[in-house]
Amino acid sequence: DGGITQSPKYLFRKEGQNVTLSCEQNLNHDAMYWYRQDPGQGLRLIYYSQIVNDFQKGDIAEGYSVSREKKESFPLTVTSAQKNPTAFYPCASSMTGAEEQYFGPGTRLTVT
Amino acid sequence: GQNIDQPTEMTATEGAIVQINCTYQTSGFNGLFWYQQHAGEAPTFLSYNVLDGLEEKGRFSSFLSRSKGYSYLLLKELQMKDSASYLCAVRVAYSGAGSYQLTFGKGTKLSVIP
C-alpha cells in the first residue's frame, strides 16, 4: 500500500535533548513538508522540500533542522533550541509543489 | 502575509446540511483547500478550488469566489462521523522560486448531534 508513515505515534523526551522524527513516503512524491500543530491552532509550516538535497524554511523553522538525502525520507530534528517543542507534528507530501498534500498520521511529541 | 478566518465551532443535527465559511486575505493566491481532521489524527484532503464556482464530491461541496476572498464547504446529509475539525488552507505561489506554500486557518470544530 502506498502511503506516508511516521513513527512513533507518541514520543517523550527530556528537556535539553535533541530528537528526530521520521517521515517516510512510498508515493513517489517529490515534495515533502513538516508542520506543527498546537491545541486549538491551525497547522504551521516548519520546513519543506521540493526536491532531493534541497529544502526551505517555513514560517517557524527556528529550533528545527531537516535533511532530504533520499526522495522517500524527510526527517525532522527538534533541537534543544526549540523553546516549546511539545506539539503534534504531521508531515505531508505531494506529487509536486503544485498538487494537493497528503498527510501522515503524525507524531505527538511531549518534552518535560 | 496571509490571513485566514473561519468560525471556531459549529453544531449541526444529523441528516441536516451545514455550511462552513472561510475568508482569506493573501497575495499570490494559487488555490484553496479543505481538509478534515478528526481529533488526534492528521488532516485528510477533502477538496480543492482554484477557479470560481462550486466543486461537488459526493456529500461534500466547496465553493470559491476569488474576488471576494471567500470559500465555503457544504456538508449534506450529515452523519455522526462527520464530527471533526475542518481546515481551510490557502496556497500561495512564490514566483521566481517555483515554490508553493499552504497556509492553514485554525479550523472549525463541527459537532454533529443526534
Side-chain angles (χ1 to χ4, degrees):
Chain A
D1 275 13
I4 305 171
T5 57
Q6 294 183 249
S7 62
K9 187 162 183 158
Y10 299 95
L11 190 55
F12 298 88
R13 281 294 183 271
K14 294 291 186 185
E15 194 173 319
Q17 294 179 333
N18 289 358
V19 58
T20 298
L21 281 58
S22 72
C23 178
E24 304 278 331
Q25 54 96 3
N26 60 3
L27 300 167
N28 200 32
H29 285 174
D30 285 319
M32 297 186 74
Y33 313 81
W34 273 106
Y35 291 91
R36 170 184 173 137
Q37 188 176 38
D38 295 283
Q41 300 295 312
L43 296 163
R44 291 183 291 168
L45 182 66
I46 305 172
Y47 268 99
Y48 65 103
S49 168
Q50 296 200 104
I51 196 169
V52 174
N53 292 322
D54 187 49
F55 49 83
Q56 286 80 40
K57 293 182 179 179
D59 300 320
I60 55 165
E62 186 175 349
Y64 300 97
S65 65
V66 293
S67 62
R68 187 84 188 277
E69 297 176 2
K70 299 187 299 181
K71 187 176 186 177
E72 303 81 17
S73 180
F74 191 40
L76 173 75
T77 296
V78 184
T79 74
S80 56
Q82 169 50 235
K83 298 305 178 191
N84 297 293
T86 294
F88 179 61
Y89 291 90
C91 78
S93 70
S94 60
M95 182 65 72
T96 68
E99 303 292 326
E100 62 266 24
Q101 296 179 20
Y102 293 90
F103 284 83
T107 292
R108 192 166 298 277
L109 174 66
T110 301
V111 176
T112 57
Chain B
Q2 293 85 41
N3 188 41
I4 301 173
D5 287 313
Q6 48 181 134
T8 304
E9 294 185 37
M10 297 182 72
T11 301
T13 306
E14 191 176 13
I17 299 173
V18 70
Q19 178 174 311
I20 302 174
N21 296 324
C22 172
T23 58
Y24 63 89
Q25 294 173 306
T26 187
S27 56
F29 177 83
N30 192 260
L32 189 139
F33 296 77
W34 283 96
Y35 284 82
Q36 180 190 61
Q37 186 177 23
H38 284 101
E41 299 180 11
T44 55
F45 169 74
L46 286 178
S47 69
Y48 165 61
N49 296 70
V50 66
L51 300 176
D52 289 352
L54 188 69
E55 294 283 341
E56 297 186 79
K57 191 185 292 186
R59 294 190 299 115
F60 295 75
S61 303
S62 57
F63 172 83
L64 175 67
S65 169
R66 289 172 296 170
S67 61
K68 295 182 179 177
Y70 168 69
S71 173
Y72 67 72
L73 180 70
L74 194 70
L75 291 75
K76 304 175 187 176
E77 302 169 15
L78 280 173
Q79 302 175 10
M80 300 299 289
K81 68 179 183 180
D82 296 330
S83 292
S85 288
Y86 291 86
L87 310 179
C88 170
V90 171
R91 184 172 67 196
V92 173
Y94 291 95
S95 62
S99 68
Y100 304 85
Q101 280 193 34
L102 277 186
T103 298
F104 285 81
K106 294 183 178 181
T108 298
K109 184 177 180 181
L110 174 66
S111 298
V112 180
I113 58 176

